[in-house]
Structures are given as structure tokens and as C-alpha cells.
Amino acid sequence: MKKTIDELVNTLRVVSLRVRQGQSWRHYKGGVYEVLGAAIDTANGEVSIRYKRIDGPDFDAAMEWSIEFVRPFSEWLEEVEDNG
């Protein structure tokens, strides 16, 4: 079902209360990532978080400065069990 512009804007507002542009997040494996913003997948209307790595194990700023990633918002706040 296609979402209206109002529904998309409302969804982005809700997401921005939890994950803000410019925030830094540490991954449980040690990487540090900066949130670039949120994006909507046009195929399914799902909100994803855009981010880039800014520090961590084997981080190479010269090589990684332009790489952006996306992860569904539903996964962004997921709790994971780290066995060690």
C-alpha cells in the first residue's frame, strides 16, 4: 500500500526523535558511525538510516570518506546478543 506524503513526513518525524542527523553511534563490534539522515525506500515505504563510518578497528579515513551505508530503521535499534 502506497503511503501519502503526510504519512511519510509523520514517519520521518517519529524516526528523527530516536535517531538524529549528526549523532555518533558505536556498533557493538567497535566501529563508530555518524548518522547522515533518514531515507524512504520507494519500493516499500520503509524508512532507513543513512550513515558513514567515522572510526573503529582498521578505519582508514582516506579510503572511506565517501562511503555511505543504509540500514532499515527497524534494524537500527535492534538489540543483539553478543557472545563475548
Side-chain angles (χ1 to χ4, degrees), residues 36-53:
L36 301 174
I40 298 170
D41 186 328
T42 57
N44 59 21
E46 184 175 21
V47 175
S48 291
I49 303 300
R50 292 179 38 248
Y51 62 99
K52 66 179 180 178
R53 191 163 100 140

Side-chain angles (χ1 to χ4, degrees), residues 3 5 7 14 22 29 32 35 39-43 45 52 56 67 69-70 72-73 75 77 80 83:
K3 294 183 180 182
I5 294 297
E7 290 171 321
V14 170
K29 292 182 179 178
V32 180
V35 174
I40 298 170
D41 186 328
T42 57
K52 66 179 180 178
I67 300 173
F69 301 95
V70 294
F73 176 68
E75 292 178 15
L77 299 176
V80 295
N83 296 322

